[in-house]
Amino acid sequence: MNRILIAEDERRITSFLEKGLRSNGFTTSVVADGLSAYEHARTGEFDLMILDLGLPVQDGFTVLRRLRGERVTMPVIILTARDTVADTVAGLEGGADDYIAKPFAFEELLARVRLRLRTERIPEATVLRAGDLDLDLRTRRARIQGRTVELTAREFALAEVFCRHPDQVLTREQLLSQVWGFDFDPGSNIVDVYIRYLRRKLGTARIETVRGVGYRLRP
């Protein structure tokens, strides 16, 4: 199980990242200042760090520069509100492996995390299977018993979350955070709307409603 260090001082974002990453099988630890981020990252106990640039005590640029100066090669993804070209270039040239500007969609962050971890590990399967449902992550196509089913990008992202957690009850909050991003209105019924779309295309019995909790994909 991969361990991810989250260096972020905004609690709302930290909570969002922890829930999303843990629900996808990662172990997380959180630090809220740059000095702690540096000290934790150099222990060798983590597989990847998500690093905010605007940290107190030491900023993210300093943390990254110190780590790379000590030849710490752990992948680092910068996650920041600083979205200028100059900041992006400075982050990448300073040793970051990737750079994501806030606000962001969790599905994009998750894909980049997996990409950075995959470069040094066994490649992840490109086809997810749950019963007779296949999702091809490369072509973004769904197939049921050999028949291709056309899904929109958002429908596919929702189906992917379910296929990664077959027979597991997923709450609306989990689905919102992973498919629509942390700044989406938590009171929206958009999850229920897209569940209806998926049921029409994949079969009404495939996605089960767990009353008062959320939804479950029946494998």
Side-chain angles (χ1 to χ4, degrees):
M1 182 179 295
N2 295 121
R3 297 196 62 191
I4 297 181
L5 177 62
I6 302 171
E8 169 65 59
D9 63 337
E10 189 172 335
R11 290 184 179 180
R12 178 169 172 247
I13 295 178
T14 295
S15 176
F16 167 72
L17 289 173
E18 280 197 290
K19 289 178 181 177
L21 290 170
R22 287 178 179 176
S23 68
N24 279 275
F26 297 101
T27 298
T28 60
S29 294
V30 174
V31 293
D33 67 84
L35 182 58
S36 297
Y38 164 73
E39 292 174 344
H40 280 68
R42 66 198 298 264
T43 63
E45 297 178 0
F46 298 93
D47 301 296
L48 181 143
M49 177 165 63
I50 297 174
L51 177 66
D52 180 26
L53 292 181
L55 294 172
V57 186
Q58 287 184 2
D59 65 24
F61 285 125
T62 302
V63 173
L64 187 59
R65 183 172 61 251
R66 293 183 69 185
L67 290 174
R68 295 313 190 219
E70 295 179 10
R71 300 186 183 279
V72 176
T73 59
M74 174 185 63
V76 175
I77 297 177
I78 289 177
L79 182 65
T80 180
R82 303 182 187 180
D83 59 355
T84 66
V85 173
D87 283 325
T88 303
V89 171
L92 295 174
E93 290 187 344
D97 297 271
D98 213 333
Y99 195 108
I100 301 177
K102 301 174 185 175
F104 62 98
F106 182 80
E107 60 186 81
E108 178 185 0
L109 173 67
L110 182 62
R112 297 194 186 201
V113 167
R114 287 177 173 146
L115 175 63
R116 296 306 162 191
L117 292 173
R118 192 163 61 234
T119 57
E120 299 179 1
R121 291 170 174 79
I122 298 174
E124 184 180 347
T126 57
V127 177
L128 300 179
R129 291 186 174 88
D132 60 358
L133 171 63
D134 291 351
L135 291 184
D136 191 318
L137 302 181
R138 293 172 302 180
T139 63
R140 311 302 285 180
R141 289 178 179 171
R143 296 178 68 84
I144 298 177
Q145 298 180 342
R147 174 176 58 88
T148 299
V149 179
E150 296 296 332
L151 299 178
T152 66
R154 196 73 73 178
E155 290 168 350
F156 190 94
L158 183 58
E160 180 181 347
V161 174
F162 279 119
C163 284
R164 291 189 183 277
H165 307 279
D167 208 31
Q168 177 181 330
V169 179
L170 299 174
T171 66
R172 288 176 177 80
E173 181 185 32
Q174 287 175 306
L175 296 171
L176 266 176
S177 66
Q178 292 189 54
V179 179
W180 281 272
F182 76 94
D183 60 347
F184 202 92
D185 179 9
S188 170
N189 70 337
I190 193 68
V191 170
D192 308 275
V193 171
Y194 272 81
I195 291 292
R196 290 199 294 271
Y197 293 162
L198 279 186
R199 282 173 170 163
R200 291 172 188 167
K201 295 183 177 183
L202 305 181
T204 56
R206 192 176 301 275
I207 301 175
E208 177 185 10
T209 299
V210 180
R211 193 173 300 278
V213 183
Y215 296 98
R216 173 170 52 204
L217 177 68
R218 300 179 64 183

